[in-house]
Amino acid sequence: MATPLPAAAGAILPFPTRPSAAPLLLSPPHLAGGEAERVRETLEAGWLAPAGPAPAAFEAAIGAVTGMGEVLATASGTAALHLGYRVLGVEPGDEVWAPAMTFVASVAPAVQMGATPRFLDVVETGWTLDPGLLAEELSKAARRGRLPRVVVPVDLYGQCCDLDAIVAACDRWGVPVMCDSAAAMGATQRGGRHAGQGARLAAFSFNGNKIVTAGGGGALAGEDTRLLARARQLAGQAKEPWPHYEHETTGYTYGLSSILAAVGLAQLPALAARVARRRDVFARYVAGLADLPGLGFIAEPAWGRANRWLTVLLVDPAPFGTDREGVRRALLAGGVESRPAWKPLHLQPAFRDAPQAGGATAAALFERGLCLPSGTGMTEADQARVIDLIRACARA
Ligand SMILES: *Cc1c(COP(=O)(O)O)cnc(C)c1O
């Protein structure tokens, strides 16, 4: 007889998302309700391969939500970024520019392709790539005769970067923009356009910790039919359209499985509600903590609406009484997971030799930034407990 699988804390049970004794996690997956039926339908129709109706339907649904004309579902957000770097023609020795404040996956595939990353500082409002600095650095790079092959701004923690300004700066020099919108499903920028719209390519993630998930997966999206068709071909081992296996180049197994696409299809309809809920979580942290001296939050620029994937608390140790590590340890002792904000890439040992422009803002945000539990399945009582634990750290 088959032994049932053990229930993973926060991963299987629909409501609440975890047994009450388990630690409160940063951003556990949150079931929407229809996942099991969707997976059953897909299996019963005989689809196990990364082909068939579920991935195609998932692509259409992502297109409908994001307003992007061409969508390729991928095995991960990182795979989408890798395909994007390939179709934009990144080669060994090329430069790829990214904000200093981001997750390593934004540039990892390009580095593995032999490109050199250059890290530019971020603006304090929204923590995203500084378009003014970018414009200056592009002018300098043009004078050096070494423009980047691609600029990769990031919608950090679900806050859209100033994509219009970034694209305008890059257009001047004919440099393509690929937006890392991995954490930004449901976030909008100027004119209510979805995150990533306006970039040549945008990458999304449906990893288990994101606002909606497929249990792993991603998407590459844009308007350029030729680029997306090329990415699709590379995602399927670069097979040429012949009966035998013919390859003019090499590719990857980067398609999204039907099973995961089915999960993603059940999650996407919940996106708007999930954004509203994450924004409520953020608002409750602000209401519960903003009166304490030395605490702050990422400000939302007037032109964009963040999905508030993770609430990031800023701790100024002198007025508050302890630093972000003190808060993190106090939360851990209380059974609550939290995590320092991304350690900037220009400070990472892996990129010790990478060129950079600025970086002081990103470094300061890392010193003070702490990601708080922000899951949509978190109860108000749980969040009140987090707030109490943080309040107890304040200077008496
Ligand atoms: C999650 C994330 C990624 C990677 O997505 P995966 O699906 O985990 O590969 C890339 N960039 C950012 C900013 C992310 O938050």
Side-chain angles (χ1 to χ4, degrees):
M1 205 179 89
T3 325
L5 292 171
I12 308 240
L13 306 172
F15 300 104
T17 55
R18 62 191 180 82
S20 58
L24 183 60
L25 300 174
L26 259 192
S27 182
H30 183 177
L31 291 189
E35 289 85 352
E37 287 97 296
R38 282 286 192 164
V39 169
R40 180 183 300 279
E41 266 170 38
T42 305
L43 285 175
E44 285 176 356
W47 291 104
L48 261 171
F58 190 44
E59 287 171 353
I62 295 164
V65 168
T66 60
M68 313 268 267
E70 300 282 338
V71 180
L72 169 68
T74 58
S76 68
T78 309
L81 289 161
H82 193 180
L83 291 168
Y85 283 124
R86 271 294 294 270
V87 299
L88 292 173
V90 168
E91 288 185 359
D94 280 348
E95 279 197 15
V96 161
W97 291 11
M101 192 78 191
T102 185
F103 183 41
V104 67
S106 301
V107 297
V111 171
Q112 289 151 6
M113 292 164 76
T116 299
R118 180 183 294 266
F119 299 116
L120 277 61
D121 212 347
V122 295
V123 288
E124 211 147 333
T125 306
W127 302 27
T128 52
L129 180 64
D130 182 340
L133 178 64
L134 172 66
E136 276 170 37
E137 290 296 314
L138 283 169
S139 299
K140 284 193 219 161
R143 283 199 295 274
R144 284 198 301 272
R146 190 154 186 241
L147 285 162
R149 177 68 62 182
V150 46
V151 169
V152 184
V154 179
D155 295 332
L156 204 77
Y157 296 118
Q159 168 63 62
C160 285
C161 63
D162 191 352
L163 193 54
D164 288 341
I166 290 165
V167 167
C170 290
D171 274 354
R172 186 169 166 216
W173 304 104
V175 175
V177 173
M178 173 163 66
C179 198
D180 179 350
S181 302
M185 279 302 294
T188 56
Q189 41 170 336
R190 279 193 186 80
R193 285 168 304 150
H194 193 274
Q197 253 198 57
R200 181 79 63 84
L201 292 171
F204 299 101
S205 169
F206 300 97
N207 188 12
N209 65 355
K210 297 299 200 275
I211 189 160
V212 285
T213 180
L220 186 68
E223 300 302 332
D224 187 327
T225 311
R226 197 188 50 82
L227 271 189
L228 269 294
R230 176 99 181 100
R232 190 177 295 279
Q233 194 218 5
L234 289 170
Q237 295 293 359
K239 289 198 273 287
E240 296 297 328
W242 295 99
H244 66 272
Y245 286 97
E246 178 83 9
H247 308 276
E248 284 173 18
T249 183
T250 61
Y252 319 89
T253 301
Y254 272 175
L256 181 65
S257 96
S258 290
I259 305 303
L260 298 182
V263 174
L265 270 171
Q267 287 260 310
L268 266 186
L271 179 61
R274 294 292 157 82
V275 172
R277 180 85 183 91
R278 296 247 178 189
R279 291 181 64 89
D280 276 356
V281 166
F282 176 82
R284 234 177 292 127
Y285 277 127
V286 173
L289 294 167
D291 61 307
L292 293 177
L295 296 187
F297 296 88
I298 309 182
E300 185 173 45
W303 45 264
R305 187 169 182 274
N307 68 13
R308 294 294 186 191
W309 170 48
L310 293 181
T311 292
V312 188
L313 179 70
L314 284 168
V315 184
D316 190 349
F320 184 61
T322 184
D323 62 4
R324 72 126 159 82
E325 269 308 286
V327 177
R328 192 186 64 78
R329 281 193 299 267
L331 287 172
L332 191 63
V336 173
E337 183 189 32
S338 66
R339 207 178 265 267
W342 302 125
K343 179 176 176 180
L345 298 189
H346 69 292
L347 303 178
Q348 296 287 357
F351 305 123
R352 167 180 317 114
D353 302 324
Q356 64 192 70
T361 305
L365 294 172
F366 170 59
E367 284 303 314
R368 293 164 51 206
L370 186 69
C371 303
L372 300 178
S374 308
T376 40
M378 180 168 60
T379 64
E380 287 195 27
D382 278 336
Q383 192 177 355
R385 195 159 65 81
V386 179
I387 291 169
D388 287 345
L389 286 165
I390 297 170
R391 293 195 73 90
C393 298
R395 190 184 296 290

